[in-house]
Amino acid sequence: MLAKIMERGHMDRKIISVSQKRQITIPLKFFKQLGLETEVECFVKDNTIVIRPFHNTYDDFSVEILKDLVAKGVSGDELVRQFEAETKNIRTAIGNMTAEAERIAAGESPAATFDDVFGEDQ
């Protein structure tokens, strides 16, 4: 137990206030150290709130989305509108898959079997 207390003493930490709207301000030193931009990922693990940099996993699909839209003959302002819509759909789908994976990992939901996905009965 003493070792854990000593570890905490060496940890770079800062006490910050929580506003009435449940908002916090990330200290500039931490913000820069982590290379934060406009979004962070937030979750609870072992009774601790974890805030870490969020990396857009759907960016990898941008080129494919654009190629598909251009192949369909979409251009100009319509290309921008459809690209925004498709990007939002990808973001939503990834969020849903991540939430499902977390429920499966927590034992709250059963995982699909190979036969569920590729079975002949479908």
Side-chain angles (χ1 to χ4, degrees):
M1 183 68 164
L2 182 59
K4 287 205 180 264
I5 293 171
M6 293 298 288
E7 286 176 24
R8 287 186 180 167
H10 296 296
M11 189 182 321
D12 194 10
R13 61 183 240 165
K14 181 166 179 157
I15 307 300
I16 55 178
S17 299
V18 179
S19 76
Q20 290 179 337
K21 293 183 177 184
R22 300 174 316 281
Q23 297 170 326
I24 62 170
T25 299
I26 299 170
L28 183 59
K29 180 179 180 178
F30 299 154
F31 190 88
K32 287 181 176 181
Q33 181 180 350
L34 294 173
L36 299 179
E37 294 178 6
T38 58
E39 294 182 304
V40 295
E41 179 180 21
C42 180
F43 58 92
V44 175
K45 180 178 182 180
D46 299 328
N47 207 32
T48 301
I49 295 175
V50 177
I51 300 172
R52 65 183 182 192
F54 176 73
H55 303 288
N56 293 332
T57 55
Y58 54 87
D59 281 348
D60 298 339
F61 298 105
S62 295
V63 172
E64 286 76 17
I65 293 169
L66 286 171
K67 285 181 181 178
D68 185 52
L69 293 171
V70 169
K72 292 178 181 176
V74 181
S75 63
D77 290 341
E78 185 60 24
L79 176 63
V80 173
R81 279 192 291 276
Q82 286 194 26
F83 177 77
E84 287 174 340
E86 290 296 322
T87 302
K88 183 178 178 184
N89 290 340
I90 294 289
R91 187 179 314 131
T92 300
I94 290 172
N96 290 341
M97 289 188 302
T98 301
E100 180 181 6
E102 289 172 353
R103 286 191 303 273
I104 291 169
E108 299 168 359
S109 185
T113 66
F114 184 86
D115 288 337
D116 292 337
V117 177
F118 299 104
E120 300 280 334
D121 298 339
Q122 297 182 19

